[in-house]
Amino acid sequence: MSRFSHRAVSVAAFLPVFVVMIAGASLAQTPVTPYQHGGNLMDHFQGISYDPAIPTPESVLGFPLGSRPVRYDEVVRYLKALDDASPRAELHVFGHTHEGRTLYYLIVGSEENVRRAQGIKAGMAKVANPSAERTVATSDAIESGNASAYPNAAAVIANSPAIAWMGYSIHGDELSGVDASLYVAYRLVAGTDAESQLIRDSVLTLIDPNQNPDGRERYLSDIYSLAGAAPSTHSDDLQHGGFWPYGRANHYLFDMNRDMLALVHPESQARATAITGWNPQLLVDAHEMWSASSFLMSPAREPINLNVTSTQHRWWDIYAAEQGAEFDKRGWSYYTGDWHEEWYPGYMSSWSLFTGAIGILYEQAGTSGSSVKRPDGTVLPFAEAVAHQAVSSLSNLSTTARHRRQLLTDYAKYRADAAAGAVKGLKGAFIIPRGANTSREDRLVTSLMRQGIDVRQSTGAFSASVELAGGKRENRSFAAGSHIVPLAQPQGILAKALLEFDPHLTQEFLTEERRELEKGNGTQMYEVSSWSLSLAYDLGIAYSPGGVSAASTKLTTLPEPPKGSLTGPTDGYGFLVPIEDDRSMNVLVRMLEEGLKVRSCYRPFTHDGTSYIRGTLLLRAAENPGDLGSRLSAIAAEEGIDIRGVASGYSSEGPDLGSDYFQLLERPRIALLMGAGIDFTSAGFLWYLLDYEMRIRCSLVDIGQIGWTDLDPYNVIIIPSYWGGAQGLRTALGQKLPALRDWIKAGGTLVTVANSTYFCADSASELSSARERGAVLDKLAEYEKSWQEERNAPTLTVDSNAVWTPRSPKGGEKTPGESKPSDLEALKSANEKGRLFMPRGALLRLDFNPEHWLSFGAGEHSHAIVYSSDALMTKSPIETPARFAQAPDLRVSGLLWPEARERWANTAWCARESMGRGQIIMFADEPYLRAYFHGTKRVFLNSVLLGPGFGANRPTPW
């Protein structure tokens, strides 16, 4: 299923296998021919005539389509056969996966439309990007069909086919979509029936047959290894699910259907570029769900993102009615709405809505790749599941063909209104300030530009009246080089949907959500309630309602990597590496991997007139090889960061460079636990960060084999979130738990995330004195006193009179932190209410302790996304470098009920606790959710890269 859980209900597939047949006393090896338990898709399309010159799927694949799922190479082979056989098909490469597989789309249409496909693409680009001076007057002209007022749109509407992007199986274990794509391709190329001809003449169809080939191939490999001569139809059979990490996600275990928001992965980046290059009017996203259901199609139910237009709502109804009619003819069941919402803009179909397309979701009941028995006793064959996807695709394409002119008209009007800012809320601009972390700024700008969003860069400093996250308004100055994202642009609605701070759910939905929670029916929210790129990137992005009056230039090429250099003397005392930019962490990895001696400073200092923040890196020449300068020069150039040589160890302010405040770091030797029980998406976020972004060596260790694993080679062990919670992880670690405690005491750094943190906070683990809030309700006053002392420490003042002239306490005074006994039953009731109304993927403010090494480079505040019913309580001597803000300041974006606001206020997000010579570092929730929460990412990287030096093995210098 594609949205209800991290793990989809999987569907199976099979290859021929050899079995040993025992007959009496003799053994005979009998090959099993390719089984056909899945059926034959062509049985569902009787009476359709095809051009005999076009190869059928079976003639190329060697088996009936629908009898078993096709592999990646088979998909490519058939698409190439169509490309070779007909001028009505043209195969294009548009990208590659992490594992190096090529991504293709197939253009299908009439011979004339395919021949002029690039001209159609160019014409649609003009419609999608109307010139600014014409947009204000042309929206009504488009509606009225006034060709002279808007020649580009009028000519396209009159002469161009509509464009449809058909995407299949973005989740690798949702199999039927890929197979359906091959039939759709064959039908549109070879079909001689009236419907096929109408679609070819009126629609240029772009078929994206396999959106996640890496995941699909991993899943099929699992399933094939379990294939048998007599496959089971029971959905709980292993051949219907495969093994951890299953096939839903891509190589790095990311859900690609959530990646269209941030475009982290090459598959999404290439797909966004291709789609925005073609500017389709229809985008279909074909999925699967649990086998007991039927077929879900758009439209969605509330909550629906407020940036979806009334015109798109109307088209949803038109498409659904005609698609439903096709199912009715065949007696197939289907539904709309139910669990399907359209709030989060990062799904494939959802994202397309904000480009002006009509985005449509399919969710077909999954099968086993052959057949699966459902609770009602019926058996659903794979071929029928494929047929549902194919019939839906052809129905949507037929609707597009019959309504071509109106769809193009509405699309042109959508883009013109956006360009003119003639859409509610589409005014002003977002400003990305130019600061010290240019790599993160450029990363966001690159992501926006890949989605076709116009970005400008100021050529000088300027000021603007702005709104900040949380509603604060001020006049603010911005440096030259700041980036400006005006909302009055063709992709303005998409820009707004991605960047806006705090979109509000409707009053009607909030009432329904509250009612259902109170009744015990659970949340109606399917996804996170907040996602703002402005907040996740933690760059101090501002919104100017009145726009920006500043000289600027439009960016036409993606930002280039900076050219780093080594400056200053190369034969002096040593070298300093500022850490404000994210690239500094990559530099640190390189230096540690090369065996260089690197130090990091506890305190800020000033050297040669330059101020350096806490965490600044130092390499002393005396501690490193003689060729240190040349090695650092190469690292600076390759990593794009400046490194500064210094002649003297003297600092004009703060510690001198020879001070013990410069802590020697240790190269991390990392074990990342993976395997059954681990939340594979949590593991994927961290694996991607360490391996792909940081290029740091880490061993992927099977948690199921932890009892036989020697932990001594590692000084950092990371446990991602665990599906089974505290009890499940305790069982998984089993008898290795005492050894893990001993490893920590000997100097190891244990890093835990989300559910695994609450395993540590369970007293039974004997790992940490942190606790889940519900376990310490009778001690809340102690925790309150502790966090008040933490917050007061930076602004502490001393009453010198009280030092020199002691006074007696007045009657009635109480010790700070002392409180009257609370009604424990009332606290328990309030605690359960807080859990019931837990944050639903809300963005909450974090307050950092900037003096703590875990916060180095992260600033004083950030934002963390929270989707959990657990709240982490810490008090001294546990160190809490990152704590959620007080209740009035806590919610920044998303759904956070008052009960949850009180429960999570002042609780810990990141905590560090000593154990012997080692330490435990605990994160209350995901520090790098979907690889775009960059403010919290830095804290996690500090735990891994600085932890072995700062918090383990040796005491602090004071």
Side-chain angles (χ1 to χ4, degrees), residues 215-435:
R216 182 179 177 93
E217 288 302 297
R218 177 173 65 251
Y219 182 69
L220 291 181
S221 295
D222 280 358
I223 296 306
Y224 295 158
S225 70
L226 297 166
S232 171
T233 60
H234 290 286
S235 60
D236 57 356
D237 190 288
L238 262 180
Q239 63 191 6
H240 297 255
F243 305 104
W244 192 98
Y246 318 103
R248 178 182 179 86
N250 75 338
H251 174 79
Y252 281 104
L253 309 185
F254 276 64
D255 186 331
M256 301 300 292
N257 195 39
R258 271 74 173 172
D259 194 43
M260 291 306 292
L261 179 82
L263 297 188
V264 169
H265 295 277
E267 300 94 330
S268 305
Q269 294 167 5
R271 189 161 285 115
T273 300
I275 292 171
T276 56
W278 278 100
N279 298 293
Q281 288 70 62
L282 170 70
L283 186 142
V284 164
D285 189 19
H287 290 252
E288 284 186 352
M289 55 181 170
W290 57 102
S291 60
S293 193
S294 58
F295 189 97
L296 175 137
M297 64 183 75
S298 298
R301 49 87 172 158
E302 292 289 346
I304 295 175
N305 193 290
L306 300 180
N307 294 296
V308 178
T309 67
S310 59
T311 301
Q312 290 170 318
H313 280 267
R314 175 172 56 81
W315 279 113
W316 270 340
D317 291 336
I318 293 171
Y319 276 99
E322 298 188 10
Q323 188 175 344
E326 291 299 318
F327 272 52
D328 291 338
K329 291 178 186 177
R330 296 163 173 81
W332 293 340
S333 295
Y334 61 91
Y335 59 97
T336 64
D338 281 24
W339 53 268
H340 171 211
E341 68 174 39
E342 281 287 3
W343 181 244
Y344 173 71
Y347 306 124
M348 173 64 69
S349 57
S350 308
W351 172 86
S352 72
L353 290 164
F354 309 113
T355 70
I358 310 303
I360 294 178
L361 172 73
Y362 302 162
E363 292 281 358
Q364 163 61 42
T367 76
S368 61
S370 55
S371 299
V372 64
K373 181 177 286 187
R374 302 197 286 186
D376 62 3
T378 61
V379 175
L380 176 65
F382 180 59
E384 183 176 328
V386 176
H388 294 171
Q389 303 268 28
V391 166
S392 295
S393 299
L394 293 167
S395 171
N396 289 167
L397 290 168
S398 182
T399 300
T400 304
R402 291 196 305 276
H403 298 278
R404 178 197 67 84
R405 188 178 188 90
Q406 189 59 53
L407 275 166
L408 288 171
T409 297
D410 287 346
Y411 178 79
K413 187 176 186 302
Y414 182 102
R415 302 290 292 204
D417 284 347
V423 178
K424 184 178 180 181
L426 213 60
K427 63 177 183 177
F430 283 91
I431 306 171
I432 306 170
R434 200 61 168 172

Side-chain angles (χ1 to χ4, degrees), residues 892-905:
V892 184
S893 182
L895 179 56
L896 186 71
W897 295 103
E899 294 88 344
R901 187 189 300 256
E902 295 301 322
R903 188 170 190 271
W904 267 266

Side-chain angles (χ1 to χ4, degrees), residues 324 417 515 654 747 849:
D417 284 347
R515 183 184 299 117
N849 174 1

